Amino acid sequence: MTPVITVDGPSGAGKGTLSARLTQFLGWHFLDSGALYRLTGLAATNHGVAFDNEPALSLLAEHLDVRFDSSGERTLIFLEGDDVTDTIRTEDVGAMASKVAAVQVVRDALLNRQRAFQEAPGLVADGRDMGTVIFPEAELKLFLTASPEERAKRRYLQLKDKGHDVSIARLAEEIRLRDERDTNRSVSPLKPADDAFVIDSSGLNIDEVTDLAIQQVKKKGLAPS
Ligand code: C5P
């Protein structure tokens, strides 16, 4: 079986950066599962589909017309032919994502699309339920967390860097709401797998977090020789 490393955790914990570093270190494929929920939320909004219209949401998720273009320096994401790479990163689309993500039929519709990313030589999968639901047999499961204040600060700097005008207080409140929805939902709630290695990145920089993760990768014999 093609090996999988899962990186789960709440928003703003640094999963994206850590996953990118691991992907590069290993030369493996990368699944950004959050992007699929963001795309589904955005598509629902664009098509005027209500977040409680389960049959329509399920159809939308199943037939999502998405293209990931990794030919350039950064991966571009197209929804129905439109470049939405930056649009889907806003906190507004994050909120849409967490609403559609709480709908079981949406999660079912995206299941196979996510598993199809498991291709040789290996996959780094970033999300909330990668280790618990999508890849329960993963060779290594990492759960990355950080204090809510630290996560709000990081998201603030990340969005500001991309030119988005955001207030840190509003961001902290939006992150708190999203965490609450993700943690308390009945379907695939955010929680570490029983066999996950938990890293609290509060007070650590990305190099220190990467070092801790790579130690685990080596321990599992997954590092390239
Ligand atoms: O990781 P990201 O912030 O892009 O995820 C956006 C939202 O999508 C999350 O807040 C969560 O509600 C949902 N999500 C999920 N399961 C995943 C990945 C993301 O429910 N595997």
Side-chain angles (χ1 to χ4, degrees), residues 152-162 166 171:
K153 198 173 89 195
R154 287 185 197 159
R155 285 289 289 163
Y156 172 74
L157 294 174
Q158 204 177 43
L159 290 170
K160 214 170 139 227
D161 192 46
K162 286 187 180 149
V166 285
L171 205 55

Side-chain angles (χ1 to χ4, degrees), residues 74-88:
R74 69 182 197 133
T75 301
L76 296 178
I77 304 177
F78 295 85
L79 175 63
E80 294 166 15
D82 291 335
D83 182 351
V84 295
T85 316
D86 293 326
T87 315
I88 62 162

Side-chain angles (χ1 to χ4, degrees), residues 8-9 11-12 15 32-35 37-38 89 93-94 97-99 101-102 107 114 126-130 134 155 178 182 185 188:
D8 289 306
S11 45
K15 298 187 305 287
D32 174 3
S33 63
Y37 290 97
R38 287 172 181 268
R89 297 299 161 197
V93 178
S98 84
K99 287 178 191 158
R107 306 198 75 85
Q114 295 175 79
D126 166 335
R128 302 290 186 291
D129 62 341
M130 298 294 99
I134 309 294
R155 285 289 289 163
R178 194 139 70 90
D182 291 350
R185 68 184 178 214
S188 308

